[in-house]
Structure formats: structure tokens, C-alpha cells
Amino acid sequence: MGAVLDGYTRDTPQVLQQNFPVFARARWAQDSSIRTNVIDFRCTIEIGGVTIHNGDLVFADMDGVLVIPREAAGECLEKALEKAAGEKLVRRAIEEGMSATEAFRKFGIL
């Protein structure tokens, strides 16, 4: 659970303490209570030119947000797990002294 906002957030320290991830365009210490109300939820929305439907997978971290349409989720997750497994092998090889280029070539990533 978390929130992706096409706008601003505030009270960041308190939000972080709640262990509820919030991803927003920026932070701004402006109260929104008199200008904000919930008009719908679990509906189709658009953020930054990307349409998001109820049931789509949304992944976010401090580097950005990724939306995977529900119908592509299985294939995307399978490919992501394959990539992560390969990257784990490469990291281990580098930690054991192999050069990055050599490791990527060995595991067919380059």
C-alpha cells in the first residue's frame, strides 16, 4: 500500500514515520485541507500522460514510478525476476574480483 500523487505532499517526517510510502512531484508546506477532497477511488486516472487502471501494478521508489498494465503483469514480472537473477550473478562475480565487463559478458548481459 502507498500513494502516488500528481502533485505535492507535505509533513514528510510524519509520513515517513507511518511507514506509508508516498511518491509525489515535490514537497510543499501548504495546507490543502480546504482545497482537497476525495471524489473517487479505484478508478481510471492519468498522471504524466500515463493512464492507470484499477488492478494495474504500480511500483515506486525514490527514482521513479513504474506502471504495469494488469494484462502484461505476468510476463513483466517473469522477465523482471530473470533479470534480477542475472544481476545477482553479476554482482557476486564482481565481488569475487571479476571485472564488470567480464561478468556481464560471462552471464550474457552484454
Side-chain angles (χ1 to χ4, degrees):
M1 270 313 210
V4 176
L5 308 174
D6 189 14
Y8 301 98
T9 186
R10 59 173 278 160
D11 302 322
T12 302
Q14 291 83 358
V15 172
L16 291 171
Q17 287 175 351
Q18 293 176 11
N19 199 27
F20 183 80
V22 176
F23 303 91
R25 290 194 178 274
R27 293 179 292 214
W28 189 31
Q30 177 69 34
D31 189 12
S32 63
S33 63
I34 61 171
R35 295 181 309 279
T36 303
N37 57 21
V38 176
I39 57 172
D40 211 341
F41 61 96
R42 294 189 180 143
C43 60
T44 300
I45 61 172
E46 183 177 311
I47 296 178
V50 176
T51 301
I52 306 165
H53 302 278
N54 185 36
D56 290 349
L57 293 180
V58 180
F59 292 94
D61 67 14
M62 65 177 52
D63 294 325
V65 177
L66 169 71
V67 177
I68 301 173
R70 180 187 342 195
E71 58 273 5
E75 179 183 358
C76 287
L77 291 175
E78 183 179 313
K79 289 183 177 184
L81 290 172
E82 288 173 14
K83 181 164 179 57
E87 290 176 350
K88 186 175 182 179
L89 293 171
V90 167
R91 184 180 63 245
R92 188 176 302 133
I94 292 170
E95 288 170 351
E96 293 172 357
M98 189 179 287
S99 76
T101 302
E102 196 177 3
F104 280 109
R105 284 194 179 128
K106 177 178 180 176
F107 296 106
I109 297 175
L110 274 184

XYZ file of all heavy atoms in Angstrom:
847
model
N 0.829 -1.179 0.000
C 0.000 0.000 0.000
C 0.873 1.241 0.000
O 1.915 1.283 0.624
C -0.844 0.036 1.259
C -2.187 -0.625 1.205
S -3.144 -0.206 -0.206
C -4.708 -0.361 0.512
N 0.409 2.265 -0.642
C 1.105 3.525 -0.688
C 0.288 4.496 -1.526
O -0.848 4.213 -1.894
N 0.875 5.634 -1.847
C 0.178 6.635 -2.648
C 1.132 7.220 -3.671
O 2.302 7.478 -3.376
C -0.356 7.744 -1.747
N 0.622 7.414 -4.889
C 1.343 8.118 -5.945
C 0.510 9.355 -6.252
O -0.674 9.250 -6.563
C 1.493 7.239 -7.215
C 2.167 8.019 -8.332
C 2.270 5.964 -6.892
N 1.129 10.523 -6.139
C 0.411 11.779 -6.300
C 0.900 12.543 -7.515
O 2.108 12.661 -7.731
C 0.621 12.680 -5.072
C 0.331 12.067 -3.711
C 0.723 13.044 -2.614
C -1.120 11.675 -3.608
N -0.011 13.080 -8.276
C 0.335 14.000 -9.356
C 0.237 15.404 -8.780
O -0.587 16.212 -9.167
C -0.621 13.820 -10.533
C -0.174 14.596 -11.758
O 0.990 15.054 -11.796
O -0.986 14.761 -12.681
N 1.051 15.638 -7.768
C 1.016 16.908 -7.052
C 2.030 16.879 -5.935
O 3.036 16.191 -6.014
N 1.738 17.614 -4.888
C 2.686 17.806 -3.802
C 2.261 17.052 -2.540
O 1.107 16.712 -2.363
C 2.808 19.292 -3.478
C 3.265 20.116 -4.658
C 2.342 20.810 -5.436
C 4.602 20.181 -4.993
C 2.756 21.561 -6.535
C 5.020 20.932 -6.093
C 4.093 21.619 -6.858
O 4.505 22.349 -7.924
N 3.233 16.854 -1.675
C 2.975 16.286 -0.364
C 3.626 17.191 0.675
O 4.415 18.069 0.330
C 3.508 14.835 -0.270
O 3.111 14.278 0.973
C 5.017 14.784 -0.402
N 3.281 16.983 1.914
C 3.860 17.775 2.995
C 3.987 16.904 4.228
O 3.622 15.737 4.204
C 3.023 19.022 3.293
C 1.602 18.692 3.686
C 0.825 19.893 4.150
N 1.168 20.132 5.548
C 1.001 21.272 6.179
N 0.500 22.294 5.548
N 1.329 21.413 7.432
N 4.520 17.444 5.284
C 4.685 16.713 6.551
C 5.478 15.424 6.348
O 5.148 14.374 6.891
C 3.326 16.426 7.207
C 2.537 17.697 7.472
O 3.170 18.710 7.847
O 1.306 17.683 7.304
N 6.530 15.513 5.571
C 7.318 14.336 5.188
C 7.816 13.530 6.379
O 7.702 12.301 6.370
C 8.478 14.756 4.267
O 7.913 15.419 3.129
C 9.280 13.570 3.812
N 8.370 14.140 7.435
C 8.833 13.318 8.561
C 7.719 12.462 9.176
O 7.929 11.300 9.499
C 9.364 14.346 9.570
C 9.739 15.529 8.737
C 8.711 15.553 7.629
N 6.531 13.036 9.294
C 5.417 12.285 9.873
C 4.960 11.166 8.927
O 4.632 10.067 9.373
C 4.240 13.217 10.180
C 4.502 14.181 11.310
C 5.265 15.435 10.859
O 5.643 15.590 9.706
N 5.513 16.330 11.803
N 4.955 11.431 7.644
C 4.583 10.402 6.667
C 5.582 9.251 6.725
O 5.196 8.081 6.738
C 4.505 10.995 5.242
C 4.325 9.895 4.203
C 3.357 12.002 5.150
N 6.866 9.571 6.794
C 7.895 8.524 6.865
C 7.743 7.690 8.138
O 7.938 6.478 8.105
C 9.291 9.139 6.792
C 9.670 9.756 5.440
C 10.989 10.520 5.560
C 9.727 8.709 4.353
N 7.387 8.318 9.244
C 7.197 7.585 10.498
C 6.046 6.590 10.416
O 6.033 5.587 11.111
C 6.935 8.559 11.652
C 8.145 9.314 12.090
C 7.813 10.355 13.169
O 6.654 10.617 13.465
N 8.854 10.944 13.734
N 5.078 6.843 9.550
C 3.922 5.964 9.416
C 4.211 4.746 8.541
O 3.359 3.880 8.377
C 2.733 6.735 8.840
C 2.221 7.785 9.773
C 1.098 8.597 9.147
O 0.562 8.266 8.098
N 0.733 9.690 9.804
N 5.408 4.700 7.948
C 5.786 3.589 7.078
C 4.764 3.397 5.950
O 4.415 2.281 5.592
C 5.973 2.296 7.875
C 6.791 1.280 7.094
O 7.601 1.645 6.252
N 6.575 0.013 7.361
N 4.262 4.509 5.419
C 3.312 4.511 4.313
C 3.982 5.249 3.158
O 4.137 6.466 3.204
C 2.015 5.222 4.720
C 0.952 5.209 3.655
C 0.163 4.083 3.472
C 0.752 6.312 2.849
C -0.822 4.080 2.493
C -0.227 6.314 1.869
C -1.021 5.196 1.692
N 4.415 4.521 2.118
C 5.163 5.175 1.046
C 4.301 6.142 0.236
O 3.193 5.807 -0.173
C 5.650 4.011 0.180
C 4.801 2.854 0.539
C 4.258 3.090 1.914
N 4.821 7.343 0.051
C 4.153 8.375 -0.735
C 5.147 8.887 -1.770
O 6.266 9.268 -1.429
C 3.667 9.536 0.161
C 3.071 10.649 -0.686
C 2.645 9.043 1.180
N 4.729 8.886 -3.026
C 5.561 9.363 -4.124
C 4.827 10.515 -4.781
O 3.704 10.366 -5.239
C 5.827 8.233 -5.119
C 6.471 7.046 -4.450
C 5.705 6.023 -3.935
C 7.849 7.004 -4.292
C 6.291 4.952 -3.282
C 8.440 5.941 -3.644
C 7.668 4.916 -3.144
N 5.465 11.686 -4.790
C 4.830 12.902 -5.283
C 5.808 13.683 -6.148
O 7.012 13.419 -6.140
C 4.373 13.751 -4.105
N 5.292 14.660 -6.866
C 6.142 15.500 -7.708
C 7.128 16.318 -6.870
O 8.235 16.578 -7.292
C 5.292 16.441 -8.544
C 4.512 15.729 -9.621
C 3.969 16.725 -10.629
N 3.271 16.021 -11.677
C 3.847 15.528 -12.757
N 5.126 15.675 -12.930
N 3.139 14.901 -13.668
N 6.680 16.740 -5.704
C 7.531 17.573 -4.847
C 6.896 17.672 -3.467
O 5.829 17.120 -3.221
C 7.688 18.970 -5.456
N 7.598 18.388 -2.597
C 7.069 18.685 -1.260
C 6.797 20.176 -1.192
O 7.538 20.978 -1.755
C 8.080 18.289 -0.187
C 8.292 16.798 -0.121
C 9.290 16.466 0.926
N 10.599 16.962 0.491
C 11.742 16.369 0.751
N 11.766 15.293 1.489
N 12.865 16.858 0.319
N 5.743 20.518 -0.461
C 5.392 21.927 -0.321
C 4.587 22.082 0.951
O 3.575 21.408 1.145
C 4.574 22.378 -1.532
C 4.333 23.857 -1.616
C 5.146 24.853 -1.180
C 3.202 24.485 -2.200
N 4.612 26.080 -1.446
C 3.395 25.876 -2.090
C 2.053 24.028 -2.803
C 2.490 26.809 -2.556
C 1.143 24.951 -3.268
C 1.362 26.332 -3.152
N 5.015 22.950 1.823
C 4.382 23.116 3.136
C 3.161 24.021 3.044
O 3.056 25.042 3.720
C 5.388 23.659 4.137
N 2.211 23.661 2.223
C 0.970 24.413 2.071
C -0.181 23.509 2.463
O -0.317 22.411 1.937
C 0.804 24.869 0.613
C -0.478 25.591 0.324
C -0.529 26.960 0.976
O 0.482 27.631 1.108
N -1.696 27.377 1.401
N -1.005 23.949 3.393
C -2.139 23.154 3.833
C -3.152 23.030 2.696
O -3.461 23.996 2.021
C -2.788 23.798 5.055
C -3.832 22.908 5.686
O -3.892 21.711 5.333
O -4.585 23.396 6.527
N -3.664 21.816 2.504
C -4.624 21.595 1.419
C -6.017 21.252 1.931
O -6.908 20.972 1.145
C -4.131 20.465 0.523
O -4.065 19.271 1.275
N -6.231 21.287 3.232
C -7.489 20.795 3.800
C -8.728 21.495 3.247
O -9.764 20.858 3.074
C -7.464 20.906 5.322
O -7.370 22.254 5.710
N -8.641 22.766 2.956
C -9.834 23.456 2.451
C -9.982 23.335 0.935
O -11.022 23.690 0.393
C -9.834 24.941 2.865
C -8.624 25.672 2.281
C -9.884 25.072 4.388
C -8.653 27.171 2.463
N -8.955 22.823 0.251
C -8.998 22.711 -1.204
C -9.037 21.274 -1.705
O -9.099 21.042 -2.899
C -7.782 23.404 -1.813
C -7.725 24.882 -1.590
C -6.510 25.498 -2.249
N -5.262 24.821 -1.915
C -4.562 25.004 -0.812
N -4.982 25.838 0.096
N -3.445 24.365 -0.599
N -8.995 20.311 -0.825
C -8.855 18.928 -1.236
C -10.005 18.089 -0.696
O -10.382 18.225 0.465
C -7.532 18.352 -0.696
O -6.469 19.180 -1.165
C -7.312 16.939 -1.169
N -10.534 17.222 -1.556
C -11.499 16.231 -1.097
C -11.431 15.012 -2.014
O -11.059 15.132 -3.172
C -12.924 16.793 -1.013
C -13.404 17.359 -2.326
O -12.897 17.043 -3.385
N -14.409 18.223 -2.262
N -11.769 13.864 -1.478
C -11.769 12.634 -2.256
C -13.068 12.587 -3.040
O -14.155 12.670 -2.460
C -11.641 11.390 -1.338
C -11.747 10.115 -2.153
C -10.337 11.445 -0.557
N -12.959 12.460 -4.368
C -14.164 12.393 -5.192
C -14.373 11.004 -5.786
O -15.478 10.692 -6.223
C -14.149 13.449 -6.318
C -12.910 13.304 -7.193
C -14.237 14.846 -5.730
C -12.916 14.163 -8.429
N -13.321 10.172 -5.784
C -13.455 8.820 -6.304
C -12.222 8.023 -5.916
O -11.210 8.591 -5.516
C -13.597 8.846 -7.828
C -14.435 7.702 -8.357
O -14.612 6.698 -7.640
O -14.911 7.804 -9.501
N -12.303 6.708 -6.024
C -11.157 5.849 -5.794
C -11.350 4.566 -6.591
O -12.470 4.254 -7.007
C -10.933 5.577 -4.300
C -12.073 4.879 -3.627
C -12.062 3.509 -3.457
C -13.165 5.599 -3.167
C -13.111 2.853 -2.844
C -14.217 4.960 -2.542
C -14.195 3.578 -2.386
N -10.241 3.860 -6.811
C -10.238 2.650 -7.647
C -10.844 2.912 -9.015
O -11.601 2.121 -9.556
C -10.950 1.501 -6.947
C -10.226 1.037 -5.724
C -10.819 -0.228 -5.158
N -10.053 -0.611 -3.979
C -10.581 -1.143 -2.902
N -11.862 -1.385 -2.832
N -9.812 -1.446 -1.894
N -10.499 4.054 -9.568
C -11.000 4.438 -10.885
C -9.802 4.688 -11.806
O -8.667 4.740 -11.363
C -11.853 5.698 -10.782
S -10.957 7.114 -10.130
N -10.058 4.821 -13.084
C -9.002 5.117 -14.040
C -8.551 6.561 -13.849
O -9.379 7.467 -13.717
C -9.513 4.898 -15.475
O -9.912 3.534 -15.607
C -8.434 5.204 -16.500
N -7.221 6.743 -13.810
C -6.652 8.083 -13.675
C -5.534 8.252 -14.693
O -5.086 7.286 -15.314
C -6.097 8.345 -12.250
C -4.966 7.358 -11.920
C -7.216 8.290 -11.232
C -4.238 7.679 -10.625
N -5.083 9.474 -14.866
C -3.934 9.745 -15.723
C -2.964 10.633 -14.956
O -3.364 11.647 -14.374
C -4.364 10.439 -17.012
C -3.196 10.656 -17.956
C -3.613 11.266 -19.276
O -4.576 10.764 -19.892
O -2.961 12.248 -19.682
N -1.698 10.212 -14.938
C -0.635 11.001 -14.317
C 0.510 11.082 -15.306
O 1.007 10.056 -15.772
C -0.143 10.368 -13.002
C -1.258 10.337 -11.949
C 1.070 11.124 -12.462
C -0.868 9.678 -10.646
N 0.912 12.284 -15.636
C 2.041 12.477 -16.541
C 1.854 11.811 -17.891
O 2.804 11.308 -18.478
N 0.639 11.787 -18.391
C 0.364 11.182 -19.693
C 0.232 9.665 -19.658
O 0.073 9.035 -20.686
N 0.281 9.062 -18.471
C 0.152 7.609 -18.322
C -1.207 7.308 -17.703
O -1.547 7.823 -16.647
C 1.280 7.030 -17.434
C 1.079 5.544 -17.208
C 2.643 7.315 -18.053
N -1.979 6.459 -18.379
C -3.276 6.047 -17.864
C -3.085 4.851 -16.939
O -2.404 3.889 -17.290
C -4.228 5.684 -19.015
O -4.362 6.826 -19.862
C -5.594 5.277 -18.492
N -3.686 4.923 -15.775
C -3.574 3.869 -14.762
C -4.974 3.375 -14.445
O -5.850 4.159 -14.092
C -2.889 4.404 -13.486
C -1.545 5.043 -13.837
C -2.736 3.290 -12.461
C -0.963 5.895 -12.738
N -5.168 2.049 -14.592
C -6.460 1.437 -14.329
C -6.423 0.688 -13.009
O -5.372 0.181 -12.591
C -6.827 0.452 -15.450
C -6.875 1.072 -16.798
N -7.968 1.762 -17.262
C -5.945 1.125 -17.800
C -7.728 2.208 -18.473
N -6.504 1.837 -18.823
N -7.569 0.564 -12.366
C -7.673 -0.256 -11.171
C -7.205 -1.671 -11.521
O -7.616 -2.229 -12.527
C -9.117 -0.276 -10.670
C -9.258 -1.011 -9.359
O -8.387 -0.938 -8.508
N -10.349 -1.709 -9.197
N -6.302 -2.214 -10.730
C -5.765 -3.551 -10.984
C -4.404 -3.544 -11.644
O -3.737 -4.579 -11.694
N -3.959 -2.398 -12.183
C -2.599 -2.313 -12.718
C -1.618 -2.402 -11.558
O -1.943 -2.043 -10.425
C -2.376 -0.983 -13.458
C -3.147 -0.888 -14.770
O -3.698 -1.911 -15.229
O -3.207 0.225 -15.324
N -0.416 -2.884 -11.848
C 0.624 -2.931 -10.817
C 1.389 -1.616 -10.844
O 1.759 -1.131 -11.904
C 1.596 -4.077 -11.075
C 1.050 -5.481 -10.935
C 2.151 -6.492 -11.218
C 0.491 -5.703 -9.545
N 1.631 -1.061 -9.674
C 2.377 0.185 -9.567
C 3.533 -0.057 -8.615
O 3.337 -0.456 -7.467
C 1.486 1.337 -9.045
C 2.289 2.622 -8.945
C 0.272 1.529 -9.954
N 4.746 0.143 -9.120
C 5.956 0.038 -8.313
C 6.586 1.418 -8.258
O 6.630 2.120 -9.265
C 6.964 -0.944 -8.935
C 6.516 -2.367 -8.911
C 5.855 -2.918 -9.990
C 6.763 -3.158 -7.797
C 5.436 -4.243 -9.970
C 6.352 -4.479 -7.764
C 5.689 -5.024 -8.856
N 7.098 1.792 -7.093
C 7.712 3.106 -6.964
C 8.860 3.043 -5.973
O 8.850 2.247 -5.034
C 6.679 4.130 -6.507
N 9.861 3.858 -6.222
C 10.935 4.074 -5.264
C 11.409 5.499 -5.444
O 10.798 6.263 -6.193
C 12.063 3.036 -5.400
C 12.842 3.125 -6.702
O 12.723 4.144 -7.436
O 13.575 2.181 -7.008
N 12.484 5.859 -4.786
C 12.917 7.258 -4.844
C 13.376 7.691 -6.232
O 13.518 8.875 -6.497
C 14.006 7.527 -3.808
C 15.281 6.772 -4.053
S 16.617 7.144 -2.887
C 15.827 6.927 -1.332
N 13.563 6.736 -7.153
C 13.995 7.080 -8.505
C 12.844 7.247 -9.481
O 13.046 7.728 -10.597
C 14.960 6.015 -9.037
C 16.267 5.992 -8.267
O 16.714 7.081 -7.841
O 16.824 4.907 -8.072
N 11.652 6.811 -9.114
C 10.530 6.978 -10.028
C 9.412 5.987 -9.774
O 9.430 5.223 -8.817
N 8.433 6.020 -10.684
C 7.246 5.189 -10.582
C 7.078 4.412 -11.885
O 7.262 4.956 -12.970
C 5.987 6.057 -10.334
C 4.726 5.210 -10.292
C 6.136 6.854 -9.047
N 6.724 3.137 -11.770
C 6.505 2.266 -12.915
C 5.097 1.708 -12.832
O 4.684 1.199 -11.787
C 7.513 1.110 -12.893
C 7.265 -0.042 -13.864
C 7.538 0.407 -15.293
C 8.130 -1.226 -13.498
N 4.364 1.795 -13.940
C 3.014 1.240 -14.004
C 3.020 0.098 -15.013
O 3.436 0.269 -16.151
C 1.981 2.312 -14.427
C 0.592 1.710 -14.556
C 1.987 3.471 -13.449
N 2.563 -1.065 -14.568
C 2.467 -2.237 -15.443
C 0.991 -2.562 -15.613
O 0.304 -2.874 -14.635
C 3.199 -3.447 -14.844
C 4.677 -3.119 -14.608
C 3.046 -4.667 -15.752
C 5.432 -4.210 -13.868
N 0.486 -2.500 -16.854
C -0.916 -2.854 -17.067
C -1.200 -4.278 -16.599
O -0.379 -5.170 -16.755
C -1.095 -2.736 -18.586
C 0.015 -1.829 -19.027
C 1.152 -2.099 -18.082
N -2.375 -4.481 -16.021
C -2.740 -5.783 -15.465
C -2.525 -6.907 -16.468
O -2.008 -7.960 -16.123
C -4.191 -5.759 -15.017
C -4.638 -7.073 -14.428
C -6.099 -7.188 -14.108
N -6.799 -5.920 -14.011
C -7.974 -5.765 -13.472
N -8.608 -6.781 -12.962
N -8.557 -4.594 -13.430
N -2.879 -6.691 -17.730
C -2.776 -7.754 -18.727
C -1.335 -8.125 -19.064
O -1.083 -9.201 -19.599
C -3.559 -7.404 -19.999
C -3.147 -6.129 -20.677
C -3.848 -4.876 -20.141
O -4.608 -4.958 -19.150
O -3.604 -3.807 -20.725
N -0.370 -7.274 -18.742
C 1.040 -7.561 -19.018
C 1.802 -7.959 -17.758
O 2.996 -8.249 -17.822
C 1.706 -6.335 -19.658
N 1.144 -7.977 -16.623
C 1.823 -8.167 -15.336
C 2.578 -9.492 -15.260
O 3.724 -9.523 -14.829
C 0.828 -8.058 -14.190
N 1.968 -10.587 -15.656
C 2.620 -11.897 -15.560
C 3.924 -11.949 -16.331
O 4.959 -12.345 -15.790
N 3.890 -11.532 -17.590
C 5.087 -11.543 -18.425
C 6.149 -10.588 -17.882
O 7.333 -10.930 -17.816
C 4.731 -11.157 -19.860
C 5.924 -11.122 -20.794
C 5.566 -10.659 -22.199
O 4.381 -10.389 -22.491
O 6.498 -10.561 -23.012
N 5.739 -9.401 -17.461
C 6.694 -8.417 -16.927
C 7.370 -8.925 -15.661
O 8.589 -8.783 -15.507
C 5.996 -7.098 -16.644
S 5.573 -6.171 -18.118
N 6.597 -9.498 -14.759
C 7.177 -9.998 -13.511
C 8.136 -11.147 -13.774
O 9.207 -11.227 -13.168
C 6.080 -10.410 -12.537
C 5.247 -9.257 -11.974
C 4.114 -9.784 -11.125
C 6.104 -8.285 -11.196
N 7.781 -12.031 -14.702
C 8.667 -13.143 -15.047
C 10.000 -12.630 -15.592
O 11.069 -13.060 -15.161
C 7.982 -14.034 -16.087
C 8.766 -15.264 -16.467
C 8.017 -16.117 -17.486
O 6.809 -16.363 -17.279
O 8.643 -16.522 -18.474
N 9.943 -11.664 -16.515
C 11.170 -11.099 -17.087
C 11.971 -10.322 -16.043
O 13.202 -10.356 -16.047
C 10.838 -10.219 -18.290
C 10.388 -11.037 -19.484
C 10.119 -10.176 -20.690
C 9.740 -11.058 -21.872
N 9.546 -10.294 -23.092
N 11.294 -9.634 -15.139
C 11.992 -8.885 -14.090
C 12.734 -9.825 -13.157
O 13.877 -9.552 -12.753
C 10.996 -8.032 -13.309
N 12.112 -10.963 -12.825
C 12.777 -11.941 -11.952
C 13.990 -12.557 -12.639
O 15.029 -12.765 -12.006
C 11.789 -13.023 -11.513
C 10.708 -12.546 -10.542
C 9.655 -13.636 -10.329
C 11.307 -12.103 -9.221
N 13.885 -12.821 -13.942
C 15.030 -13.335 -14.702
C 16.171 -12.316 -14.691
O 17.327 -12.679 -14.480
C 14.624 -13.633 -16.146
C 13.739 -14.835 -16.316
C 13.234 -14.996 -17.747
O 13.769 -14.329 -18.666
O 12.300 -15.791 -17.949
N 15.831 -11.059 -14.926
C 16.859 -10.003 -14.942
C 17.508 -9.860 -13.570
O 18.730 -9.748 -13.462
C 16.245 -8.673 -15.380
C 17.265 -7.546 -15.432
C 16.750 -6.392 -16.212
C 17.707 -5.237 -16.286
N 19.001 -5.531 -16.827
N 16.710 -9.870 -12.526
C 17.254 -9.743 -11.173
C 18.186 -10.902 -10.844
O 19.229 -10.708 -10.217
C 16.120 -9.658 -10.156
N 17.833 -12.101 -11.272
C 18.691 -13.267 -11.029
C 20.029 -13.102 -11.740
O 21.086 -13.382 -11.170
C 17.989 -14.543 -11.482
N 19.995 -12.619 -12.980
C 21.237 -12.382 -13.722
C 22.088 -11.303 -13.068
O 23.309 -11.435 -12.960
N 21.451 -10.240 -12.615
C 22.187 -9.162 -11.953
C 22.814 -9.639 -10.648
O 23.907 -9.207 -10.282
C 21.275 -7.970 -11.713
C 20.903 -7.255 -13.000
C 19.920 -6.130 -12.800
O 19.356 -5.993 -11.688
O 19.690 -5.381 -13.772
N 22.144 -10.546 -9.957
C 22.697 -11.104 -8.718
C 23.965 -11.902 -9.011
O 24.959 -11.806 -8.290
C 21.649 -11.995 -8.045
C 22.043 -12.515 -6.696
C 20.901 -13.293 -6.065
C 21.270 -13.789 -4.690
N 20.158 -14.527 -4.066
N 23.954 -12.672 -10.103
C 25.140 -13.426 -10.506
C 26.290 -12.487 -10.864
O 27.439 -12.721 -10.486
C 24.821 -14.339 -11.697
C 23.862 -15.490 -11.426
C 23.476 -16.171 -12.737
C 24.466 -16.483 -10.448
N 25.969 -11.429 -11.586
C 26.990 -10.449 -11.979
C 27.576 -9.781 -10.740
O 28.794 -9.649 -10.603
C 26.401 -9.397 -12.947
C 27.348 -8.215 -13.116
C 26.100 -10.040 -14.292
N 26.723 -9.356 -9.814
C 27.209 -8.705 -8.595
C 28.132 -9.625 -7.810
O 29.203 -9.216 -7.362
C 26.033 -8.248 -7.720
C 26.499 -7.466 -6.488
C 25.359 -7.005 -5.598
N 24.637 -8.120 -5.040
C 23.377 -8.426 -5.304
N 22.675 -7.688 -6.136
N 22.799 -9.469 -4.751
N 27.734 -10.879 -7.697
C 28.553 -11.847 -6.958
C 29.914 -12.018 -7.643
O 30.951 -12.044 -6.981
C 27.836 -13.189 -6.845
C 28.573 -14.161 -5.927
C 27.823 -15.462 -5.719
N 26.495 -15.222 -5.155
C 25.374 -15.789 -5.611
N 25.410 -16.628 -6.614
N 24.221 -15.524 -5.044
N 29.917 -12.116 -8.970
C 31.175 -12.273 -9.707
C 32.076 -11.057 -9.510
O 33.290 -11.193 -9.323
C 30.889 -12.504 -11.188
N 31.500 -9.866 -9.527
C 32.282 -8.640 -9.323
C 32.847 -8.614 -7.906
O 34.023 -8.274 -7.700
C 31.422 -7.390 -9.616
C 31.095 -7.323 -11.108
C 32.130 -6.121 -9.149
C 30.060 -6.278 -11.477
N 32.037 -9.002 -6.922
C 32.510 -9.042 -5.537
C 33.648 -10.043 -5.356
O 34.491 -9.880 -4.472
C 31.349 -9.401 -4.596
C 30.343 -8.274 -4.444
C 29.076 -8.704 -3.720
O 28.882 -9.923 -3.478
O 28.257 -7.816 -3.399
N 33.676 -11.069 -6.220
C 34.742 -12.077 -6.150
C 35.956 -11.707 -6.985
O 36.880 -12.501 -7.130
C 34.188 -13.442 -6.570
C 33.168 -13.985 -5.588
C 32.458 -15.244 -6.087
O 32.712 -15.676 -7.235
O 31.637 -15.787 -5.317
N 35.958 -10.474 -7.555
C 37.147 -9.979 -8.236
C 37.061 -9.877 -9.743
O 37.990 -9.384 -10.380
N 36.009 -10.351 -10.363
C 35.881 -10.281 -11.813
C 35.552 -8.835 -12.207
O 34.865 -8.130 -11.470
C 34.755 -11.222 -12.260
C 34.658 -11.414 -13.765
S 33.326 -12.568 -14.220
C 34.049 -14.127 -13.714
N 36.041 -8.396 -13.369
C 35.700 -7.046 -13.829
C 34.224 -7.016 -14.217
O 33.632 -8.048 -14.570
C 36.557 -6.640 -15.030
O 36.103 -7.289 -16.211
N 33.634 -5.834 -14.168
C 32.223 -5.696 -14.513
C 31.971 -6.138 -15.951
O 31.036 -6.886 -16.230
C 31.761 -4.258 -14.297
N 32.822 -5.715 -16.867
C 32.657 -6.094 -18.272
C 32.725 -7.603 -18.441
O 31.891 -8.199 -19.122
C 33.741 -5.419 -19.142
O 33.636 -4.001 -18.971
C 33.564 -5.775 -20.595
N 33.698 -8.209 -17.805
C 33.866 -9.670 -17.870
C 32.632 -10.390 -17.299
O 32.120 -11.350 -17.881
C 35.124 -10.051 -17.085
C 35.650 -11.428 -17.339
C 36.947 -11.670 -16.551
O 37.399 -10.784 -15.776
O 37.479 -12.763 -16.719
N 32.134 -9.900 -16.174
C 30.979 -10.518 -15.534
C 29.730 -10.396 -16.407
O 28.994 -11.370 -16.578
C 30.744 -9.893 -14.166
N 29.497 -9.219 -16.958
C 28.326 -9.034 -17.830
C 28.430 -9.929 -19.052
O 27.431 -10.522 -19.467
C 28.174 -7.565 -18.234
C 27.543 -6.715 -17.173
C 28.286 -5.773 -16.479
C 26.191 -6.836 -16.874
C 27.703 -4.978 -15.493
C 25.588 -6.048 -15.915
C 26.352 -5.120 -15.214
N 29.611 -10.052 -19.625
C 29.791 -10.937 -20.793
C 29.580 -12.398 -20.410
O 28.940 -13.151 -21.137
C 31.172 -10.738 -21.397
C 31.268 -9.484 -22.196
C 32.516 -9.438 -23.066
N 32.531 -8.212 -23.820
C 33.521 -7.363 -23.871
N 34.641 -7.620 -23.235
N 33.436 -6.273 -24.574
N 30.141 -12.813 -19.273
C 30.031 -14.201 -18.835
C 28.572 -14.632 -18.702
O 28.209 -15.754 -19.047
C 30.754 -14.396 -17.503
C 30.616 -15.808 -16.951
C 31.365 -15.998 -15.664
C 31.177 -17.423 -15.172
N 31.944 -17.700 -13.969
N 27.724 -13.738 -18.206
C 26.342 -14.095 -17.962
C 25.403 -13.608 -19.070
O 24.192 -13.601 -18.917
C 25.897 -13.577 -16.592
C 26.667 -14.221 -15.480
C 27.644 -13.524 -14.795
C 26.448 -15.570 -15.148
C 28.385 -14.142 -13.770
C 27.174 -16.186 -14.140
C 28.148 -15.471 -13.458
N 26.002 -13.229 -20.220
C 25.209 -12.919 -21.398
C 24.385 -11.639 -21.314
O 23.378 -11.521 -21.979
N 24.834 -10.714 -20.504
C 24.075 -9.467 -20.351
C 24.607 -8.388 -21.289
O 23.898 -7.498 -21.683
C 24.083 -9.013 -18.865
C 23.378 -10.083 -18.036
C 23.411 -7.662 -18.695
C 23.396 -9.867 -16.561
N 25.850 -8.488 -21.707
C 26.413 -7.536 -22.674
C 26.396 -8.103 -24.062
O 26.593 -9.240 -24.301
C 27.860 -7.185 -22.309
C 28.083 -6.078 -21.332
C 29.557 -5.794 -21.139
C 27.374 -4.804 -21.730
